Amino acid sequence: MDTMLEMISFVLRLISPAVALLIVCLGFYSLKGGRREEHALIVLENDQERLAYPVLYWENSIGRSRGSDIRIGDPTVSRDHAVLLRRNDGWFIADTGSKMGVYVNGERTVGRCPVGVGDTITLGETTLVLRRSAKKPAETKRKKESRTISSGLIMTLLTIYMGLLTAQACVNMKGMGALTYGAGFTVVMWVFYILSCTVFKRKNFELEAMALMLSGTGVIMAAVHNTDTNQAVVQLAAVVLGIMLYCFMLWFIEIPDRVMKWHLIISVLALLLLGATLVLGSVQNGAKNWIRLGPLSVQPSEFAKVAYIFVGASTLDVLQTKKSLTEFVIVSALSVALLGLMSDFGTAVIFFVTFLVIAFMRSGDVKTVVLAVAAAALAVIMILSVKPYIAERFAAWGHVWEMPDDSGYQQVRSMIYIASGGLFGVGLSQGFLQYLFASENDLVFALVSEEAGFIIALLIPVTLGGFMIYARGVATRSRSTFYSIAACSAGGLLVFQAALNIFGITDILPLTGVTLPFVSYGGSSVAACWGLLAFIRAADERTYSHKLPKAKKQKTAEEEPEFVEV
């Protein structure tokens, strides 16, 4: 009997990685297909010089600067003169602090001014006429859409994957304890999919399906290594909470201008979350980053990550008008300082790297990044002098094999069990790493490697890296620079956090104790990761395409202007 169960477990371990790999490959292949070709939405024509400027994006900077989306060589035009932007109500032009102003049909504009087909826009001594685009991408669009994979097929594969993991857990544990959580998660993901297709009318579900694969892996691992705290229930509830946060955020950030109205309030809330943790929090694993609410414990710094990206991202007309990074720098400095006082240096590093990404995307100024890095280096030196246990971690970095029973205890065991798991693992619940402290959160990558196999474990960072590549790919086609900055920042945050976790336990980087996104045990972490995913999803212009008025969709193609395209 035991031999038969071992054979079944072995077969399940062989099939599971193949299904997981198929989900990831089909998911990203499908995301790449069905995207709009980068054609002109409208055209700005210069009648005097017989020039046509194609408008490719939803938000376009106009000026003399080389970095302008629409560059005009007229010396009377300011370097960053104006922003032409599209909203659901049509096109608008906004003066961004130019010397000579912006005129629409001869009248000077104040704030955002609506413009329509045939209207003249005067910047300095240059007059442009807004025309419809001549290019019709219908055939290209149909060709692209034919390359997409049915989301229903990917969901079916995901159901098979969850069934394989659940069955393996039941076989290895010789009980049906994991079945409740595997079945519960499967119901949750199908309800989410059906609501997404019917109520929210989303056209694609690949991104969510891959995030569900990661979260589902975390739920099963929690079910297998369930303790008296009922980790699997907490993990499954966290996924549900995260999906609810994801749906709310997609609704909230649907209108970038609505987000900008709440910008200051969100900045204050981010700081209040961290400040409340400093005052009311309890120390756990050396860091004061948890607030206990009866039987529950919450880590506010995880949700502060989501709020922090709200603070840094912005629409293009606001960015060009408010060139200073002062407000963002102040919030960033206070956030990192509060995290430092909590001794949560892993999260502080994540905040800092996210700051670098946002600062560079906002300003394009390398000097700002260099100065920030220099200041951070000084801060690290100061921290090492006043926090001895942090200095010990740095001292152990790269030398864990020399101290396997001391400072290098966790890393040495993690690397041993990663190697012992091989490609297909020793079987869920059959590993030895589960007996180490924090195996289900800080060391979960090693735990998955040992029990589920290195192929499934490797797909976790590959998927997160794919999220970042996807975010970068859709950034140029997003409806606002708010989405572009937010998506790239969220993707970068997830990748960097995963790198800190995986490289920390393998001694490539110092051990920081941060969680592995979507997989590590921890309700706050899982829910916050779904909030970050919403930024990436929102950047794809297809996410809200079903809400655009049909009349607005038809204003993109007519006769070709006989102008030289710039």
Side-chain angles (χ1 to χ4, degrees), residues 114-273:
V115 288
V117 174
D119 286 346
T120 60
I121 301 172
T122 303
L123 306 95
E125 296 179 359
T126 297
T127 298
L128 305 172
V129 182
L130 190 147
R131 304 288 189 194
R132 293 190 177 109
S133 171
K135 298 185 179 179
K136 300 180 180 180
E139 294 182 3
T140 305
K141 185 177 181 181
R142 284 196 294 270
K143 180 180 177 182
K144 284 282 185 180
E145 288 179 345
S146 66
R147 294 171 50 192
T148 60
I149 306 297
S150 167
S151 295
L153 172 61
I154 297 175
M155 285 295 295
T156 301
L157 289 171
L158 179 57
T159 304
I160 294 172
Y161 172 75
M162 289 302 302
L164 291 169
L165 289 187
T166 304
Q168 185 188 153
C170 292
V171 168
N172 291 340
M173 299 175 71
K174 299 179 181 179
M176 306 301 288
L179 180 61
T180 302
Y181 305 107
F185 182 85
T186 302
V187 170
V188 167
M189 72 185 195
W190 274 102
V191 169
F192 180 30
Y193 173 65
I194 293 170
L195 289 176
S196 180
C197 295
T198 57
V199 177
F200 304 118
K201 301 186 186 303
R202 308 293 181 206
K203 292 184 178 180
N204 54 333
F205 197 76
E206 303 91 342
L207 193 73
E208 294 88 340
M210 288 184 284
L212 285 169
M213 186 187 78
L214 300 182
S215 294
T217 303
V219 169
I220 295 300
M221 296 305 291
V224 168
H225 305 100
N226 207 351
T227 64
D228 294 337
T229 58
N230 218 349
Q231 293 180 351
V233 173
V234 173
Q235 196 77 350
L236 183 57
V239 174
V240 175
L241 178 62
I243 290 173
M244 293 172 62
L245 176 63
Y246 174 85
C247 295
F248 170 77
M249 283 184 55
L250 281 182
W251 167 80
F252 181 68
I253 62 182
E254 176 188 344
I255 303 173
D257 296 334
R258 173 168 57 199
V259 178
M260 297 312 299
K261 290 179 181 178
W262 285 79
H263 200 256
L264 181 59
I265 295 175
I266 294 173
S267 302
V268 174
L269 286 176
L271 294 175
L272 287 177
L273 277 174

Side-chain angles (χ1 to χ4, degrees), residues 241-393:
L241 178 62
I243 290 173
M244 293 172 62
L245 176 63
Y246 174 85
C247 295
F248 170 77
M249 283 184 55
L250 281 182
W251 167 80
F252 181 68
I253 62 182
E254 176 188 344
I255 303 173
D257 296 334
R258 173 168 57 199
V259 178
M260 297 312 299
K261 290 179 181 178
W262 285 79
H263 200 256
L264 181 59
I265 295 175
I266 294 173
S267 302
V268 174
L269 286 176
L271 294 175
L272 287 177
L273 277 174
L274 297 176
T277 309
L278 185 61
V279 175
L280 305 174
S282 58
V283 178
Q284 186 169 323
N285 301 331
K288 191 178 183 181
N289 55 359
W290 292 89
I291 293 180
R292 298 196 176 277
L293 303 172
L296 300 177
S297 57
V298 181
Q299 192 172 359
S301 61
E302 293 291 339
F303 297 102
K305 294 175 186 175
V306 179
Y308 182 67
I309 291 179
F310 271 113
V311 175
S314 185
T315 56
L316 185 59
D317 54 334
V318 174
L319 286 182
Q320 281 202 184
T321 304
K322 299 180 179 179
K323 295 176 182 291
S324 176
L325 293 172
T326 304
E327 176 188 338
F328 177 55
V329 170
I330 291 173
V331 174
S332 302
L334 289 174
S335 298
V336 173
L338 288 170
L339 289 166
L341 292 173
M342 298 176 210
S343 296
D344 190 357
F345 295 105
T347 305
V349 173
I350 293 171
F351 265 69
F352 177 71
V353 171
T354 306
F355 163 78
L356 295 181
V357 174
I358 295 175
F360 181 73
M361 292 192 70
R362 284 176 62 113
S363 65
D365 187 6
V366 178
K367 293 180 181 178
T368 302
V369 175
V370 172
L371 288 173
V373 171
L378 292 174
V380 169
I381 295 173
M382 293 176 62
I383 290 170
L384 292 177
S385 63
V386 298
K387 297 286 185 180
Y389 76 96
I390 299 293
E392 288 178 8
R393 287 188 179 181

Side-chain angles (χ1 to χ4, degrees), residues 412-434:
V412 167
R413 269 69 183 175
S414 294
M415 288 186 280
I416 289 174
Y417 295 131
I418 287 173
S420 67
L423 293 177
F424 304 105
V426 299
L428 299 184
S429 82
Q430 302 301 300
F432 292 98
L433 188 69
Q434 61 181 306

